[in-house]
Amino acid sequence: MYQTTYHRASSVDEAASLFAKGSEAKFLAGGQTLLPVMKQRLASPSDVIDLGKIKELIGVEASGDMLTVKAATPHYDVATSEAAKKTIPALAYLASLIGDPAVRYRGTIGGSIANNDPAADYPAALLALGATVKTSKRSIAAEDFFQGLFTTALEDGEIITAVSFPVPAKAGYAKMRHPASRFALTAVFVAQTKSGEIRVAATGASQSGVMRIPAIEAALKANWSPSALDNVSIPASGLLADIHGTAEYRANLVKVMAQRAVTAAG
Amino acid sequence: MGVEGIGARVVRKEDKRFITGKGRYVDDIKLLGMTHAHFIRSPHAHAKVKKIDSSAALKMPGVVAVLTGQELVDDKVGNLICGWAITSKDGSPMKMGAWPAMAPETVRFVGQAVAVVIADSKNLARDAAEAVLVDYEELPAVADVQTAIKSGAPQLHPEAPGNQVYDWVIGDEGATDAAFAKAANVVKLDVTNNRLAPNAMEPRAAIADYDAAEEHFTLYTTSQNPHVARLVLSAFYNIAPEHKLRVIAPDVGGGFGSKIFIYPEEMVALWASKKVGRPVKWTGDRTEAFLTDAHGRDHVTHAEMAFDANNKITGLKVKTYANFGAYMSLFSSSVPTYLYATLLSGQYNIPAIHAEVVGVYTNTTPVDAYRGAGRPEASYLIERLMETAARQLKVDPAQLRRTNFITQFPHQTPVIMAYDTGDFNASLDAAMKAIDYAGFAARKAQAKSQGKLRGIGVSCYIEACGIAPSKAVGSLGAGVGLWESAEVRVNPVGTIEILTGSHSHGQGHETTFCQLVAERLGIPISQVSIVHGDTDKVQFGMGTYGSRSAAVGLTAILKAMEKMESKAKKIAAHALEASEADIVIENGEFKVTGTDKAIALPMVALAAYTAHNLPDGMEPGLKESAFYDPTNFTFPAGAYICELEVDPGTGKTSFVNFVAADDFGRLINPMIVEGQVHGGLAQGIGQALLEHAIYDANGQPVTASFMDYSMPRADDLPSFNLSHTTTLCPGNPLGIKGCGEAGAIGASAAVINAITDAIGNNNLEMPATPDRVWRTIHAA
Ligand SMILES: Cc1cc2nc3c(=O)[nH]c(=O)nc-3n(C[C@H](O)[C@H](O)[C@H](O)COP(=O)(O)OP(=O)(O)OC[C@H]3O[C@@H](n4cnc5c(N)ncnc54)[C@H](O)[C@@H]3O)c2cc1C
């Protein structure tokens, strides 16, 4: 009952048609989320369609004011990409903090955002940078893509092909690592767009997944400096609480990580 | 003697196979016709097992059998035992509930097995296990000692009313009360010693193979003491008489105490292999390790220390509640009593001590010895008390310790232990110098100007290891003797096999034990091999735990070597026509001292086995054995100092420096000793900052995977600064004290003392997670 059929797709179209043929098919990218879940027998797809070897899904490219990370690009490639480091160093830095080396060599941006773990790193960057998620069917604004814990706008069989990040004027990321999993206990991405908009997103904090922090955005709009946040108070209600951090602690971290992200952004 | 003798930093022989993936662990072994076991485990912390329906599972492909706890009872397989009898203060024996290997009626912790599926493959067994329907009736559960001892709390075992296993005392209560009545100052402290999951890298595993023709069992198992496993399986669990049971513990990937015990899975595998007539293999996964490997620590303690006007300690009172989990594991009863309270004197002259320990059942995984076993709990308590006292009495913490150090040896403490030797000032001096203790205030001020809270914490630990004198432990209730055995076999061509009752599961015995032979005979260690871990090959022995393998196991080898050398010298003297008294052993040769006459070891060996020309009346052969029973525990001690910074914004701790100055007596291989200290420190720091096996109020484990249970990683740890001061142990001829557990015993208090110093608030429990530290800072 836990048997599955593995397919290695060589193009996005082939992956989509393989998916349509399976009764309960699943896409596989780095497998860093899907495979542990299958091993625990919490998922039992009829077919596993590997996107990881599709050439058109791998790579990081900068052109004009846009940095594009293709969906099956592993975190390690983003962390070490010259294009990323030049245009959005905060994004390369974020990728370098994901999990451990094994996870970074295999895990991908597409898998990460498709999974939308409330403590994952990338969703904060997508939201703060105002990124666009490109799929086999359409383009989705980050704002609309993330829809709460482990929920996204993706339809059945829809394949993420890339994420396009507008290059910001400034950006910074600060992460307090979860001591056991190394996901974000709470992490904050701050960005100043080239048009002067301030966008701040926090991950790991909220019970409803990645979120913008309007109070911090407003304070930074008035004064782009860590001290501008000294008197901002983040309410603990609605925040996650577990053995590694109370809601009050996470509320504190939202502010402290935002301050450090601003310092990092310069 | 020689480059590979005692004191040489010889590279570990065993690492070639470990590093190249050629280690042979239980799970690597495959037997013809082997079946696979998958255990069906309770999802409830406390429940009645009403019905087990395996009819659907039995029809599934590849399923050989589904066996239940009731069948174990029917076949008269014994319940698990606890091998150390403790007597309560009212004179009554400890109160134990029965622990069947699979529960026929009642489950008392999440993960307790109720049935096992035996199938042709691991996956088929797992598939079928999902089809076995177990009907449970849930019962109220209790997970922590404070709740378990309250009246009206859910009760685990009818044999143990109030969930109390024992209420045990040690020391002189009257003298202690009198000391407190006269005290100039009293320091009080409440501490919790957090429960830990041992997490050896290799999960437990077993393969059982029954040979019907010979009525003989072979068990391959992940054990630290295969001989004890055979004894217990045979004498108490009714599996087979000893001569019909061979236990093999091949390469074992770490134990930390958790692989001392004989677990239900091994028993069931043996029993099942006879029932199904095929070999049965079980390999636990990480979840099963979290749920069923015996946990460590879990104490709640109130302590008070009395001081006179000169800051000399005059008395110590301790009351500890020890959480045993749902059943009494093999050595559990001794851990919070004779391995804990007997160390409460620490490195200090304390004239009067009284301690009371209440052992409590809860609906959690059984708790037993874990690296240090009782001694980390004692050391943590005493060293936090000393730091608390220094702050309350407004004296320098190092100075307060010096004021109270024991300086005369031997020293009889009021709690059984008689310390043989030590120099506590020397290790504290070394540690303070290494960390530049005097310059700390300036560094703290500097850190403050950068917004960081810097703290320093001292921990002067002492422990008792090299366990243990058999007569002494016998008089305290132990069911076994704790000597060790050895056999030295010189082969006819002069290579040597050492058979030891110790077991290596990471310690490096295959190297260090050879170094003793190299030292004595002047031959390279490549000429020597160490044989261990197989009851058919090696004489009965007691295994490895309690930092005993060098102090006890290696001494047994020394005794056997001495016997062998004495015979070899007689043979050499006969061949060289010299007097036996004139023979010396050098560079692999037996020489007539002061001459150039010599005969090489291989020739002596050959002479022993050809027996053509031996001294009159001498038996052929060159093989000797010895049993060594120590006369006392050994007492490694040392001073650890930790300097760290706390980030007030996040509560996160970063190490600045960690110095460890240990006195282990003689070091056989300093490189291996350093590795042992590094690992121990990692575990002590892990306990202080990261690790905690947590249950919710209903007994559900919250930390049953590495996504929730924080194991220390390399980047959580500082680069350690180690040094050694040495007083040789007078209790054994090699002067060895032991080094396997010290790091785990001494480190936690140093870390917590440093954090509480940094944040100026002593009200902090382990693990000092960033969240806890931040809340403590902001509660102040
Ligand atoms: C030990 C560990 C630590 C980790 N630490 C972190 C951390 O610190 N921060 C962090 O952010 N993450 C962390 N992760 C998660 C990691 O980043 C994963 O790689 C990521 O969540 C999933 O990516 P993947 O490529 O492995 O996806 P997979 O596991 O292969 O797939 C995950 C899900 O996404 C779907 N999917 C994959 N690709 C696509 C696509 N192109 N289009 C549509 N659907 C797709 C799959 O069908 C599946 O449902 C950690 C994981 C582990 C195991």
Side-chain angles (χ1 to χ4, degrees):
Chain A
M1 81 185 101
Y2 293 98
Q3 298 218 340
T4 192
T5 307
Y6 172 87
H7 310 267
R8 177 177 290 175
S10 51
S11 70
V12 174
D13 288 345
E14 191 196 350
S17 73
L18 284 166
F19 187 95
K21 279 188 222 144
S23 58
E24 264 187 66
K26 273 259 177 208
F27 295 119
L28 174 75
Q32 297 302 292
T33 297
L34 184 58
L35 296 183
V37 171
M38 285 173 65
K39 280 197 204 164
Q40 288 175 298
R41 302 193 152 188
L42 299 172
S44 50
S46 60
D47 298 84
V48 166
I49 299 150
D50 191 348
L51 308 175
K53 298 288 184 301
I54 302 178
K55 291 220 168 58
E56 62 195 282
L57 288 184
I58 299 169
V60 184
E61 284 162 18
S63 81
D65 272 349
M66 205 58 91
L67 180 78
T68 300
V69 181
K70 295 185 185 162
T73 310
H75 309 323
Y76 174 81
D77 288 8
V78 178
T80 53
S81 150
E82 286 308 321
K85 284 199 277 190
K86 218 167 122 201
T87 54
I88 320 181
L91 187 69
Y93 172 67
L94 173 150
S96 78
L97 298 179
I98 297 176
D100 50 51
V103 170
R104 291 196 289 275
Y105 275 113
R106 296 218 59 102
T108 68
I109 189 169
S112 174
I113 63 172
N115 191 48
N116 194 17
D117 188 298
D121 292 279
Y122 272 126
L126 266 73
L127 206 52
L129 291 167
T132 303
V133 179
K134 303 273 168 69
T135 78
S136 50
K137 296 184 177 163
R138 56 191 166 139
S139 290
I140 312 170
E143 219 84 56
D144 303 322
F145 182 84
F146 299 111
Q147 300 188 343
L149 303 191
F150 300 104
T151 314
T152 68
L154 284 178
E155 289 164 6
D156 208 33
E158 189 170 5
I159 299 172
I160 301 168
T161 56
V163 182
S164 297
F165 296 93
V167 174
K170 285 177 175 183
Y173 187 60
K175 174 178 181 179
M176 183 69 186
R177 283 176 150 181
H178 183 291
S181 74
R182 301 244 160 150
F183 273 85
L185 192 58
T186 286
V188 175
F189 202 105
V190 300
Q192 211 181 87
T193 68
K194 288 204 164 148
S195 62
E197 191 191 353
I198 309 291
R199 297 173 64 100
V200 175
T203 184
S206 167
Q207 290 171 12
S208 37
V210 65
M211 62 172 177
R212 303 259 307 260
I213 317 286
I216 290 180
E217 291 176 351
L220 291 176
K221 176 104 194 146
N223 173 13
W224 179 263
S225 89
S227 61
L229 305 183
D230 284 347
N231 296 320
V232 173
S233 144
I234 305 293
S237 64
L239 297 194
L240 292 164
D242 56 31
I243 55 169
H244 297 287
T246 53
E248 292 71 26
Y249 180 61
R250 282 188 164 86
N252 167 68
L253 285 181
V254 168
K255 174 167 141 178
V256 173
M257 291 300 118
Q259 289 177 313
R260 291 178 188 183
V262 171
T263 304
Chain B
M1 191 195 274
V3 289
E4 294 178 327
I6 289 177
R9 306 174 75 89
V10 179
V11 173
R12 298 189 350 151
K13 282 171 91 174
E14 47 270 76
D15 283 347
K16 183 173 174 192
R17 72 173 189 278
F18 293 150
I19 289 170
T20 57
K22 299 283 194 265
R24 194 167 164 80
Y25 298 89
V26 173
D27 192 55
D28 295 323
I29 297 167
K30 293 177 179 65
L31 302 182
L32 205 64
M34 188 166 78
T35 63
H36 297 261
H38 185 89
F39 284 87
I40 297 169
R41 301 185 181 281
S42 171
H44 306 295
H46 199 187
K48 287 248 171 278
V49 182
K50 293 183 67 182
K51 187 165 175 240
I52 300 177
D53 178 359
S54 43
S55 52
L58 284 168
K59 292 190 197 110
M60 290 174 65
V63 174
V64 177
V66 180
L67 305 172
T68 65
Q70 187 54 49
E71 288 162 87
L72 269 177
V73 175
D74 295 345
D75 284 357
K76 302 198 167 44
V77 174
N79 291 325
L80 278 82
I81 59 157
C82 178
W84 197 308
I86 299 291
T87 305
S88 282
K89 64 182 179 187
D90 65 5
S92 63
M94 63 182 186
K95 301 186 171 60
M96 295 229 315
W99 183 7
M102 296 192 292
E105 280 174 15
T106 309
V107 286
R108 296 184 177 84
F109 66 97
V110 172
Q112 185 173 5
V114 296
V116 64
V117 179
I118 313 288
D120 287 340
S121 80
K122 202 171 170 163
N123 276 331
L124 290 170
R126 215 175 150 192
D127 288 349
E130 291 181 20
V132 175
L133 303 176
V134 186
D135 187 9
Y136 294 100
E137 177 190 326
E138 270 193 79
L139 298 171
V142 59
D144 66 290
V145 283
Q146 286 101 325
T147 315
I149 56 171
K150 286 199 184 120
S151 69
Q155 299 291 301
L156 272 84
H157 298 280
E159 297 87 345
N163 295 320
Q164 188 172 300
V165 180
Y166 53 62
D167 182 350
W168 172 90
V169 289
I170 190 171
D172 185 336
E173 188 168 20
T176 310
D177 285 344
F180 275 82
K182 282 192 293 195
N185 289 292
V186 172
V187 175
K188 301 181 182 180
L189 188 67
D190 288 289
V191 298
T192 299
N193 205 288
N194 42 320
R195 177 185 282 241
L196 305 175
N199 277 318
M201 195 177 308
E202 180 205 22
R204 289 191 295 112
I207 303 175
D209 184 13
Y210 179 66
D211 177 338
E214 298 290 336
E215 295 178 4
H216 180 278
F217 291 87
T218 303
L219 174 68
Y220 301 86
T221 181
T222 48
S223 175
Q224 300 179 213
N225 38 285
H227 305 277
V228 177
R230 181 170 81 151
L231 168 69
V232 172
L233 286 162
S234 174
F236 298 98
Y237 300 159
N238 221 2
I239 299 287
E242 277 171 292
H243 67 300
K244 294 289 185 185
L245 173 60
R246 175 183 185 184
V247 178
I248 300 172
D251 283 334
V252 173
F256 311 112
S258 72
K259 291 173 182 166
I260 298 173
F261 325 117
I262 293 85
Y263 287 90
E265 291 83 1
E266 289 111 85
M267 296 168 62
V268 170
L270 283 163
W271 167 73
S273 87
K274 183 172 177 182
K275 277 197 112 62
V276 305
R278 288 166 64 183
V280 174
K281 179 184 214 171
W282 170 76
T283 302
D285 63 18
R286 187 57 62 186
T287 308
E288 288 180 298
F290 273 109
L291 296 181
T292 67
D293 290 5
H295 288 174
R297 324 276 192 255
D298 207 342
H299 285 192
V300 177
T301 297
H302 176 78
E304 301 189 7
M305 201 177 243
F307 287 85
D308 70 12
N310 299 319
N311 295 335
K312 289 246 184 209
I313 308 166
T314 55
L316 173 67
K317 274 190 215 173
V318 173
K319 177 147 190 189
T320 293
Y321 292 92
N323 188 342
F324 281 129
Y327 297 98
M328 294 302 286
S329 173
L330 191 62
F331 289 112
S332 57
S333 54
S334 65
V335 175
T337 49
Y338 292 111
L339 295 178
Y340 164 70
T342 55
L343 268 306
L344 285 171
S345 197
Q347 296 190 352
Y348 313 108
N349 237 311
I350 307 183
I353 297 178
H354 183 255
E356 177 172 3
V357 180
V358 180
V360 180
Y361 278 126
T362 63
N363 294 109
T364 60
T365 298
V367 176
D368 205 325
Y370 167 67
R371 201 170 191 172
R375 294 153 286 159
E377 296 90 316
S379 184
Y380 179 70
L381 177 66
I382 295 307
E383 289 310 290
R384 281 211 60 194
L385 261 175
M386 290 306 280
E387 205 80 13
T388 306
R391 291 171 196 167
Q392 188 175 320
L393 303 174
K394 300 201 166 26
V395 292
D396 176 73
Q399 187 49 51
L400 182 68
R401 287 174 168 89
R402 288 189 196 282
T403 306
N404 288 285
F405 274 159
I406 295 161
T407 51
Q408 303 288 315
F409 296 90
H411 174 88
Q412 178 62 54
T413 71
V415 278
I416 300 179
M417 290 299 175
Y419 301 162
D420 50 7
T421 185
D423 187 344
F424 306 146
N425 275 303
S427 38
L428 185 55
D429 286 343
M432 288 172 73
K433 188 155 175 270
I435 207 156
D436 182 19
Y437 192 82
F440 174 72
R443 297 194 297 276
K444 186 179 175 90
Q446 167 74 18
K448 195 173 176 197
S449 71
Q450 289 159 2
K452 292 286 164 68
L453 306 173
R454 192 174 279 219
I456 197 163
V458 178
S459 169
C460 294
Y461 77 91
I462 184 162
E463 62 135 327
C465 66
I467 59 174
S470 300
K471 195 172 165 188
V473 297
S475 75
L476 302 177
V480 288
L482 288 166
W483 45 265
E484 195 49 86
S485 70
E487 187 175 306
V488 175
R489 282 189 198 159
V490 182
N491 295 318
V493 287
T495 57
I496 296 180
E497 275 136 23
I498 302 283
L499 288 73
T500 172
S502 301
H503 184 274
S504 185
H505 32 279
Q507 292 86 349
H509 296 167
E510 288 169 45
T511 306
T512 48
F513 287 6
C514 292
Q515 287 183 251
L516 174 73
V517 181
E519 172 79 18
R520 296 190 66 87
L521 303 181
I523 59 173
I525 62 170
S526 59
Q527 305 275 299
V528 187
S529 56
I530 304 297
V531 181
H532 67 93
D534 183 340
T535 59
D536 261 15
K537 289 185 184 162
V538 181
Q539 68 289 342
F540 189 67
M542 295 309 297
T544 288
Y545 38 84
S547 305
R548 66 193 303 274
S549 297
V552 188
L554 193 58
T555 306
I557 295 172
L558 172 70
K559 298 281 177 196
M561 284 290 290
E562 284 170 351
K563 291 186 194 172
M564 181 280 291
E565 289 162 17
S566 158
K567 182 170 181 183
K569 280 182 179 173
K570 287 194 178 77
I571 297 171
H574 182 72
L576 297 169
E577 293 173 343
S579 152
E580 188 192 331
D582 292 336
I583 302 290
V584 292
I585 308 175
E586 268 172 31
N587 300 322
E589 288 185 329
F590 291 72
K591 288 187 176 157
V592 182
T593 184
T595 73
D596 57 2
K597 289 209 301 186
I599 175 170
L601 172 65
M603 299 312 293
V604 174
L606 199 60
Y609 287 98
T610 55
H612 295 160
N613 183 18
L614 289 176
D616 280 347
M618 179 182 274
E619 287 177 15
L622 197 51
K623 180 186 100 157
E624 297 290 343
S625 64
F627 286 73
Y628 171 70
D629 198 2
T631 51
N632 191 358
F633 289 83
T634 64
F635 297 95
Y640 293 171
I641 308 183
C642 169
E643 184 169 332
L644 49 72
E645 280 182 359
V646 173
D647 177 341
T650 62
K652 190 167 165 49
T653 296
S654 318
F655 288 100
V656 177
N657 203 347
F658 195 108
V659 304
D662 292 294
D663 178 356
F664 297 139
R666 191 180 314 283
L667 310 183
I668 306 296
N669 182 327
M671 182 197 73
I672 287 180
V673 169
E674 285 161 12
Q676 289 289 312
V677 176
H678 286 182
L681 292 173
Q683 280 172 308
I685 291 171
Q687 170 163 34
L689 294 181
L690 296 158
E691 297 184 52
H692 196 183
I694 301 176
Y695 289 84
D696 73 10
N698 299 317
Q700 284 294 329
V702 182
T703 47
S705 87
F706 287 141
M707 294 307 262
D708 301 300
Y709 187 91
S710 312
M711 286 296 281
R713 292 166 164 92
D715 66 357
D716 291 317
L717 302 168
S719 190
F720 302 114
N721 178 340
L722 308 187
S723 65
H724 300 281
T725 59
T726 301
T727 57
L728 292 178
C729 176
N732 61 64
L734 293 165
I736 292 169
K737 295 186 180 179
C739 66
E741 295 157 293
I745 290 168
S748 313
V751 175
I752 299 297
N753 286 340
I755 300 177
T756 55
D757 177 51
I759 66 178
N761 185 336
N762 201 34
N763 200 5
L764 183 69
E765 296 286 13
M766 300 191 289
T769 59
D771 171 43
R772 266 194 182 157
V773 172
W774 179 81
R775 282 186 283 127
T776 309
I777 294 171
H778 294 275

